[in-house]
């Protein structure tokens, strides 16, 4: 199991290279960005058994449907949260800890790390698909390659750029999952669906979340109240999810069906 120690490689390396207080700031950024994984893990746990059952039944059409629909739901939720972390890192940190020195030190690493954690979380659906087929070889070789190439890269970047370098190495590691491991997996399972997963399932809700974040970034008023900031950040996440759901076809259809049911139920009650 190389994946777990790989997730801590940057922290082990940094702990030897930077002062303890700066390391604590980096750990804070990791804790916030890592919440994306906390969100994606239950989704993986919910989808994986169903995919495994459908694979056992050799129902490829149903596997494809569940895979893409689940991928869109994951992207809708995670993209909105990640965009909020990236675009509003100073506001988030101030609302959380209320200290200007923490905001100044942690904001940039948090933004960079969030990109890596987002890629890692989005890869959970391709991971569920390959594991449902009992195929673990790709994960093993990906981890081996990371130990050989990316851990030394993390050390070099950390030595040269400190916490920013370590964050960049984490992003590189997880970009490889999305742009190298995922297409390799799709050569074996659901052949030809990689670009569908990347562009329709992932890029559409991500683009909607980015546009929503930019609009909020322009209109967000200056707030000194930490509670007010928390409320605004929550509103940004919710509106990003809403527009992300509208952008992705399967989630948009789900919203429309739910809306029709609500309208029908209200008419029945009245």
């Amino acid at each position: 199991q190389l994946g777990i120690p790989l997730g801590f490689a940057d922290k082990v390396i940094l702990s030897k290279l930077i002062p303890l207080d700066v390391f604590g700031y980096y750990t804070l950024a990791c804790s916030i960005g890592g919440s994306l994984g906390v969100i994606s893990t239950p989704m993986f746990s919910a989808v994986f058994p169903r995919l495994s059952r459908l694979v056992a039944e050799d129902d490829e059409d149903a596997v494809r449907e569940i895979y893409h629909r689940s991928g869109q739901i994951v992207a809708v939720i995670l993209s909105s949260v990640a965009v909020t972390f990236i675009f509003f890192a100073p506001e988030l940190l101030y609302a959380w800890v209320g200290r200007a020195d923490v905001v100044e030190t942690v904001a940039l690493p948090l933004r960079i790390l969030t990109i890596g954690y987002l890629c890692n979380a989005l890869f959970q659906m391709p991971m569920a698909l390959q594991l449902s087929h009992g195929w673990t070889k790709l994960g093993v070789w990906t981890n081996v390659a990371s130990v050989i190439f990316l851990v030394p890269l993390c050390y070099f970047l950390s030595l040269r750029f400190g916490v920013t370098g370590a964050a960049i190495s984490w992003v590189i590691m997880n970009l490889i999952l999305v742009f190298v491991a995922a297409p390799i997996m799709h050569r074996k399972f659901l052949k030809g669906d990689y670009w569908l997963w990347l562009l329709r399932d992932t890029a559409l809700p991500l683009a909607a979340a980015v546009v929503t974040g930019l609009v909020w970034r322009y209109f967000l008023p200056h707030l000194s109240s930490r509670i007010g900031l928390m409320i605004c950040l929550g509103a940004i996440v919710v509106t990003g999810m809403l527009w992300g759901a509208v952008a992705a076809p399967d989630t948009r259809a789900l919203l429309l069906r739910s809306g029709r049911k609500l309208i029908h139920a209200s008419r029945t009650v009245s």
Side-chain angles (χ1 to χ4, degrees), residues 32-37 39-40 74-86 110-125 170-171 174-175 177-178 197 202 205-207 209-210:
I32 298 173
S35 62
L36 295 174
I39 297 171
S40 66
V74 168
V76 164
I77 297 172
L78 295 178
S79 296
S80 180
V81 177
V83 165
T84 303
F85 287 176
I86 294 170
L110 173 58
R111 285 170 167 147
I112 299 172
L113 285 165
T114 296
I115 298 172
Y117 280 112
L118 175 62
C119 292
N120 187 279
L122 291 172
F123 187 70
Q124 293 302 303
M125 288 305 106
W170 175 247
V171 172
N174 288 286
L175 284 174
L177 295 179
V178 173
W197 169 77
T202 303
L206 177 57
V210 168

Side-chain angles (χ1 to χ4, degrees), residues 6 23 29 53-54 56 67 79 81 92 95 103 112 114-115 121 135-137 159 197 204 250-251 264 267:
L6 275 175
F23 178 71
R53 178 176 61 82
L54 293 172
Y67 174 72
S79 296
V81 177
L92 174 64
V103 173
I112 299 172
T114 296
I115 298 172
W135 195 52
T136 59
K137 184 183 296 185
L159 194 63
W197 169 77
L204 282 179
D250 287 356
T251 52
H264 179 72
R267 288 176 178 174

Side-chain angles (χ1 to χ4, degrees), residues 100-269:
D101 59 327
V102 174
V103 173
E104 183 178 353
T105 306
V106 180
L108 179 58
L110 173 58
R111 285 170 167 147
I112 299 172
L113 285 165
T114 296
I115 298 172
Y117 280 112
L118 175 62
C119 292
N120 187 279
L122 291 172
F123 187 70
Q124 293 302 303
M125 288 305 106
M127 177 64 73
L129 179 62
Q130 59 187 288
L131 291 180
S132 67
H133 286 84
W135 195 52
T136 59
K137 184 183 296 185
L138 178 61
V140 171
W141 282 110
T142 300
N143 288 333
V144 169
S146 296
V147 170
I148 295 173
F149 297 107
L150 293 178
V151 170
L153 177 64
C154 177
Y155 177 81
F156 170 78
L157 291 175
S158 300
L159 194 63
R160 181 68 177 84
F161 302 106
V163 294
T164 302
I168 291 172
S169 71
W170 175 247
V171 172
I172 293 172
M173 187 182 303
N174 288 286
L175 284 174
I176 289 173
L177 295 179
V178 173
F179 295 105
V180 178
I184 291 175
M185 186 274 297
H186 273 291
R187 291 181 181 179
K188 190 173 182 67
F189 309 115
L190 299 185
K191 297 178 181 179
D193 279 25
Y194 169 69
W195 290 108
L196 197 62
W197 169 77
L198 183 66
L199 298 179
R200 189 191 68 174
D201 299 348
T202 303
L204 282 179
L206 177 57
V210 168
V211 172
T212 303
L214 289 173
V215 172
W216 272 100
R217 180 73 274 174
Y218 183 79
F219 289 105
L220 183 69
H222 176 73
L223 297 173
S224 58
S225 168
R226 294 168 63 185
I227 296 177
L229 277 174
M230 280 294 188
I231 293 173
C232 283
L233 292 172
I236 293 167
V237 171
V238 172
T239 52
M241 287 182 186
L242 177 61
W243 287 111
V246 171
D250 287 356
T251 52
R252 181 172 63 246
L254 182 61
L255 283 177
L256 290 173
R257 286 198 299 270
S258 300
R260 293 191 190 102
K261 288 180 180 179
L262 288 173
I263 293 173
H264 179 72
S266 64
R267 288 176 178 174
T268 303
V269 172

Side-chain angles (χ1 to χ4, degrees), residues 10-30:
D10 56 338
K11 301 174 187 64
V12 173
I13 293 171
L14 274 178
S15 66
K16 307 297 183 181
L17 299 177
I18 62 175
L20 185 59
D21 58 338
V22 179
F23 178 71
Y25 291 149
Y26 182 81
T27 303
L28 173 62
C30 290

